[in-house]
Amino acid sequence: MAGAPLVLVMLVAAVGVVAAERGGGKLRQGYYEQSCPRAEQIVKDYVERQIPLEPSVAATLIRTHFHDCFVRGCDASVLLNATTGGGEAEKDAAPNLTLRGFDFLDHVKALVEQECPGVVSCADVLALASRDAVGVIGGPFWRVPTGRRDGRVSIKQEALDQLPAPTMNFTDLLASFRAKGLGVADLVWLSGAHTIGISHCNSFSERLYNFTGRSGPGDADPSLDAEYAANLRRTNCTTPTDNTTIVEMDPGSFLTFDLSYYHGLLKYQGLFQSDAALITDDA
């Protein structure tokens, strides 16, 4: 039964995705069975070939999928570029500046287009590729209903206003999720995606250097394990202004989808304030 919690994690992730859809009731399994029967297999084959060569892409795919779904539903609006003479797009918002893997998605989409021009949405390609990538790095398989429609509107401010921030406390995180029709369980399980991937130091350096606003180094967040904080300051984020160094979100296991993220939380080794927030409430 060791794998059961992982299955629950991703089943709820899938439920959360569907809940975030616009017109989610129109989604169904096998949506492309008649119009493009090989679509899902084409995505799966490419992901299974490429992810072993660049395993870190799995984390950015599922993060991109989450950031897409949390703003305007799962409509691939996070993939749109700003229009000439128009406002900036979701992609230009600070939380999305570190997203990558766009070339990966473009290549998958091109392969599907060769098979069935103008049939499969970018939103479905992103949802399927995210699921398949997680499977390649040790996570479970979950069923992805398809039939999403690509959006044509992408607004930077909406991403800034709606995406949960790594500095949020439990109350703010839960409010953010409830605004999307999600609850405590969804918050905890979806946070488990931090079992893979990396972060830049500037996303959490305040926890290491100036948490209470006092001057001087070493004023670390008391909710962060002291030895873990000291090690981060010594070997990774050596200055408060470092915005280029990257750190594993789940040390020693950041390329494997497993339960160690939760084990780390219980040792007060969650990297972000939003991670640490999960053990501040009895729920």
Side-chain angles (χ1 to χ4, degrees), residues 146-201:
T146 46
R148 297 162 183 80
R149 291 291 177 261
D150 290 336
R152 298 184 179 181
V153 176
S154 186
I155 301 172
K156 174 182 177 179
Q157 193 60 47
E158 290 184 346
L160 291 172
D161 292 341
Q162 297 177 37
L163 288 172
T167 55
M168 280 184 171
N169 60 30
F170 184 83
T171 300
D172 291 338
L173 281 171
L174 188 55
S176 176
F177 273 65
R178 281 180 171 162
K180 302 297 179 181
L182 305 171
V184 173
D186 302 294
L187 167 58
V188 174
W189 281 322
L190 286 168
S191 296
H194 286 175
T195 186
I196 54 175
I198 52 88
S199 173
H200 289 83
C201 288

Side-chain angles (χ1 to χ4, degrees), residues 101-238:
F102 298 119
D103 290 343
F104 186 100
L105 290 166
D106 286 343
H107 198 92
V108 180
K109 174 65 167 156
L111 292 174
V112 175
E113 283 295 300
Q114 289 175 11
E115 178 81 8
C116 311
V119 173
V120 181
S121 68
C122 292
D124 278 338
V125 168
L126 175 55
L128 292 166
S130 301
R131 184 272 310 276
D132 294 335
V134 166
V136 172
I137 61 167
F141 177 90
W142 68 96
R143 301 179 71 192
V144 174
T146 46
R148 297 162 183 80
R149 291 291 177 261
D150 290 336
R152 298 184 179 181
V153 176
S154 186
I155 301 172
K156 174 182 177 179
Q157 193 60 47
E158 290 184 346
L160 291 172
D161 292 341
Q162 297 177 37
L163 288 172
T167 55
M168 280 184 171
N169 60 30
F170 184 83
T171 300
D172 291 338
L173 281 171
L174 188 55
S176 176
F177 273 65
R178 281 180 171 162
K180 302 297 179 181
L182 305 171
V184 173
D186 302 294
L187 167 58
V188 174
W189 281 322
L190 286 168
S191 296
H194 286 175
T195 186
I196 54 175
I198 52 88
S199 173
H200 289 83
C201 288
N202 60 323
S203 294
F204 58 89
S205 58
E206 187 177 85
R207 298 190 75 199
L208 302 178
Y209 286 102
N210 196 26
F211 188 70
T212 61
R214 299 195 305 268
S215 60
D219 181 18
D221 182 350
S223 69
L224 186 62
D225 177 75
E227 184 177 344
Y228 181 46
N231 183 61
L232 287 170
R233 287 195 303 269
R234 183 173 60 253
T235 62
N236 298 103
C237 308
T238 57

Side-chain angles (χ1 to χ4, degrees), residues 229-276:
N231 183 61
L232 287 170
R233 287 195 303 269
R234 183 173 60 253
T235 62
N236 298 103
C237 308
T238 57
T239 68
T241 57
D242 186 342
N243 61 3
T244 58
T245 303
I246 57 175
V247 175
E248 300 171 5
M249 290 195 293
D250 187 0
S253 182
F254 78 110
L255 292 177
T256 306
F257 198 96
D258 55 27
L259 289 173
S260 58
Y261 164 79
Y262 296 108
H263 298 156
L265 282 190
L266 295 177
K267 297 176 182 177
Y268 303 96
Q269 294 176 358
L271 195 59
F272 306 123
Q273 284 177 253
S274 57
D275 293 323

